[in-house]
Amino acid sequence: MIIEFNNDEILFLEGETGMVGIIKVAYENKMLFIATQDNEEIVQFLEKDDLIAVSNFKKDKRAIRSQAYLTRVENSPLVILNKNHPSTKRLETVLSVGARVCLNCNITPGTHPEQDVLCSCDSLSGLEIDKTETGIKLNKEFDNYTIEKFLD
């Protein structure tokens, strides 16, 4: 299934107990800095049509938009936590950036430096999202989505 949207729009995929918002990187030569639990920094080079996918467990569109904005516009680095870090239990919004994102409800939020996996609610788990030049491609049919302006 293909869903098209513009760089000034955000796509929301809504599940029963959570939501994922997706925007395009929209800039050439963008870099994402990822701080790991090993006190290292990974630099991920991004393409204009790569995805910024933000998962939220309260269906809070404002939180999703805010995190996407911080990543795309403000170049906020990602911080990866250890699996036993106490903050993982309090994370309500997590994100993944890249060409492909696989939603999974069986991982600990905020602990994966690999940017092709993202923690999600049960009903979105198993969705695979691949970038296209003009939007995304999903691995299966999904009809509970909306497209809105990203920034007002």
Side-chain angles (χ1 to χ4, degrees):
M1 172 178 185
I2 294 181
I3 303 172
E4 295 186 349
F5 58 97
N6 298 319
N7 286 347
D8 64 345
E9 294 176 319
I10 184 168
L11 167 68
F12 289 105
L13 305 175
E14 187 169 348
E16 291 175 15
T17 60
M19 177 180 285
V20 173
I22 302 166
I23 62 170
K24 293 288 192 162
V25 167
Y27 297 102
E28 294 290 345
N29 303 316
K30 186 87 167 163
M31 294 183 291
L32 175 68
F33 295 92
I34 304 169
T36 72
Q37 61 268 28
D38 300 323
N39 206 24
E40 295 179 2
E41 185 173 63
I42 299 168
V43 180
Q44 182 175 339
F45 294 91
L46 303 170
E47 297 178 1
K48 183 177 177 178
D49 59 351
D50 280 342
L51 309 171
I52 299 171
V54 182
S55 182
N56 180 272
F57 305 108
K58 287 188 168 182
K59 296 187 178 185
D60 185 344
K61 287 183 177 181
R62 186 173 177 181
I64 291 170
R65 287 176 195 272
S66 296
Q67 190 64 57
Y69 175 85
L70 287 172
T71 303
R72 179 163 92 175
V73 179
E74 297 297 329
N75 300 314
S76 181
L78 297 185
V79 176
I80 307 302
L81 300 173
N82 289 319
K83 289 187 181 190
N84 60 354
H85 194 286
S87 292
T88 62
K89 294 172 182 63
R90 290 185 284 283
L91 290 175
E92 295 174 356
T93 305
V94 290
L95 69 97
S96 180
V97 181
R100 180 169 219 257
V101 178
C102 299
L103 302 181
N104 188 326
C105 67
N106 295 316
I107 61 174
T108 305
T111 62
H112 289 269
E114 309 87 12
Q115 290 300 296
D116 62 346
V117 64
L118 180 62
C119 189
S120 71
C121 67
D122 289 347
S123 57
L124 294 176
S125 190
L127 273 179
E128 296 173 6
I129 307 162
D130 289 294
K131 75 175 185 179
T132 67
E133 286 185 24
T134 58
I136 64 164
K137 179 181 175 188
L138 296 175
N139 64 323
K140 57 185 172 183
E141 292 297 315
F142 188 84
D143 61 355
N144 198 9
Y145 71 89
T146 56
I147 298 171
E148 301 176 7
K149 284 289 186 195
F150 176 52
L151 299 173
D152 293 327

